[in-house]
Amino acid sequence: MSEFWLISAPGDKENLQALERMNTVTSKSNLSYNTKFMIPDFKVGTLDSLVGLSDELGKLDAFAESLIRRMAQSVVEVMEDAKGMAQENLLANGVDLTSFVTHFEWDMAKYPAKQPLVSVVDTVAKQLAQIETDLKSRMASYNTLKTNLENLERKSMGNLFTRTLSDIVSKEDFVLDSEYLITLLVIVPKQSYTQWQKTYESLSDMVVPRSTKLIAEDNEGGLFTVTLFRKVIDDFKTKAKENKFTVREYYYDEKEIKREREEMSRLLSDKKQQYGPLLRWLKVNFSEAFIAWIHIKALRVFVESVLRYGLPVNFQAVLLQPKKSSTKRLREVLNSVFRHLDQVAAASILDVGTRSRNSRVSTVRSASLPGRDCPGTVLGRLL
């Protein structure tokens, strides 16, 4: 994950020179990679409406980030064994997220800047709400299918005491449709195979000689068939238990076995059919949601900058990508370079995400921010 900061400073000569000093210092000290972040001129409206939008955008920002993270996690879950390649599917407009952010351009076609600011925010909010609704519906359907399939697959796992036997036994293993005879399945510990072969015929009267056959094994034991008369079932079970042989309750039902196999085939087919379209939908709409999120960042910079610096609108936004382990030093540089904008803010430690009513300094926040605000700037942290 890459970290980005969005800052803004007034567009007058003195502060543009301060931005140049910041670029020079951060470049020479290798503290960050800086680029201009272009934001169109919006219809401002009243300052009261901007205050309301500031709060709304803060909530929308958090919602967008949460949605993006859920979509990224959904891509990982859907790709399963190939989840190591999930990052290749998390793009914005066909490019990696870092490239999109550093080359951001406002989408005039999707979010016309000539519309009132409230309308632009409403458009973004509705778009994200629809994506979330579709995400919930599509993932719920896929997860239900996946859970049903896992439950069926789980039945074929485990030891001979618990797993389904439908994929192990066959019709030929049983005496069927007999009024007098029945075939039982007995689990015998591996160390007791010899004992079983020597004693199973004498565990009860009316056991059919040479009727046992080993049909499956696991690490603990084997599954044997034995045929006997129905009227001695209870006696045979009792004697088998005394000898530490376990009769597994199972009645061969060809229709039920066929139903289970058809259900497994259907679920596998349905999952395969849903996989491609769902992954494509996630890729497309992750891109849309991420693009919308960066537009929200731009809106927050604009609104907070107007509230901070006043009218007429005149500020310059800059995107900073801090170098690893340089955030503390970078913040110190910003505090120093822009100290003249707000002496109070420069000397204060502000809580992230709060607004000082006196100085109208605010912080754009997504994910987590460093603990001290840069005076007179708008910050953000992006993926």
Side-chain angles (χ1 to χ4, degrees), residues 36-76:
K36 286 186 177 181
F37 193 82
M38 305 307 296
I39 302 174
D41 290 331
F42 295 103
K43 293 184 178 180
V44 175
T46 66
L47 289 178
D48 283 344
S49 67
L50 287 183
V51 172
L53 275 179
S54 175
D55 294 335
E56 183 178 346
L57 283 168
K59 296 175 183 177
L60 189 58
D61 188 351
F63 170 73
E65 181 184 357
S66 171
L67 177 60
I68 290 165
R69 293 187 183 280
R70 280 180 282 157
M71 296 188 77
Q73 182 60 37
S74 295
V75 170
V76 172

Side-chain angles (χ1 to χ4, degrees), residues 258-321:
K258 182 180 178 181
R259 187 198 66 77
E260 280 190 19
R261 289 173 179 169
E262 288 177 348
E263 178 70 2
M264 176 68 79
S265 297
R266 183 187 67 80
L267 290 173
L268 285 170
S269 176
D270 288 351
K271 184 182 179 184
K272 186 176 180 179
Q273 289 177 3
Q274 285 193 27
Y275 175 83
L278 177 58
L279 184 58
R280 285 192 294 274
W281 183 91
L282 285 168
K283 289 169 62 175
V284 169
N285 285 274
F286 174 87
S287 174
E288 291 296 310
F290 187 86
I291 291 169
W293 187 37
I294 305 307
H295 280 75
I296 292 170
K297 292 294 184 186
L299 288 167
R300 293 196 72 187
V301 172
F302 180 87
V303 170
E304 299 297 341
S305 296
V306 174
L307 288 174
R308 173 66 180 86
Y309 305 130
L311 296 172
V313 177
N314 184 26
F315 68 90
Q316 175 63 59
V318 179
L319 181 74
L320 286 71
Q321 185 176 6

Side-chain angles (χ1 to χ4, degrees), residues 225-367:
T225 60
V226 60
T227 302
L228 57 144
F229 280 75
R230 290 180 180 274
K231 64 181 182 179
V232 298
I233 290 177
D234 291 340
D235 182 53
F236 183 88
K237 287 181 177 179
T238 300
K239 295 292 179 57
K241 185 176 181 180
E242 291 174 357
N243 286 272
K244 298 184 179 179
F245 306 138
T246 304
V247 176
R248 171 78 189 267
E249 297 293 342
Y250 182 82
Y251 298 95
Y252 185 85
D253 186 334
E254 200 162 15
K255 291 182 178 179
E256 179 62 20
I257 291 175
K258 182 180 178 181
R259 187 198 66 77
E260 280 190 19
R261 289 173 179 169
E262 288 177 348
E263 178 70 2
M264 176 68 79
S265 297
R266 183 187 67 80
L267 290 173
L268 285 170
S269 176
D270 288 351
K271 184 182 179 184
K272 186 176 180 179
Q273 289 177 3
Q274 285 193 27
Y275 175 83
L278 177 58
L279 184 58
R280 285 192 294 274
W281 183 91
L282 285 168
K283 289 169 62 175
V284 169
N285 285 274
F286 174 87
S287 174
E288 291 296 310
F290 187 86
I291 291 169
W293 187 37
I294 305 307
H295 280 75
I296 292 170
K297 292 294 184 186
L299 288 167
R300 293 196 72 187
V301 172
F302 180 87
V303 170
E304 299 297 341
S305 296
V306 174
L307 288 174
R308 173 66 180 86
Y309 305 130
L311 296 172
V313 177
N314 184 26
F315 68 90
Q316 175 63 59
V318 179
L319 181 74
L320 286 71
Q321 185 176 6
K323 302 292 184 178
K324 190 175 181 180
S325 304
S326 67
T327 54
K328 182 178 179 181
R329 173 58 182 152
L330 178 59
R331 185 169 288 281
E332 290 173 352
V333 169
L334 295 179
N335 279 331
S336 174
V337 172
F338 296 106
R339 186 180 300 274
H340 64 280
L341 287 177
D342 196 331
Q343 294 294 334
V344 175
S348 303
I349 297 177
L350 303 178
D351 291 331
V352 172
T354 62
R355 177 180 293 114
S356 167
R357 295 186 180 274
N358 293 328
S359 62
R360 292 192 302 187
V361 175
S362 61
T363 303
V364 174
R365 180 192 180 202
S366 74

Side-chain angles (χ1 to χ4, degrees), residues 139-150:
M139 288 306 298
S141 175
Y142 185 79
N143 285 332
T144 297
L145 174 61
K146 185 178 175 182
T147 299
N148 291 339
L149 182 57
E150 288 173 348

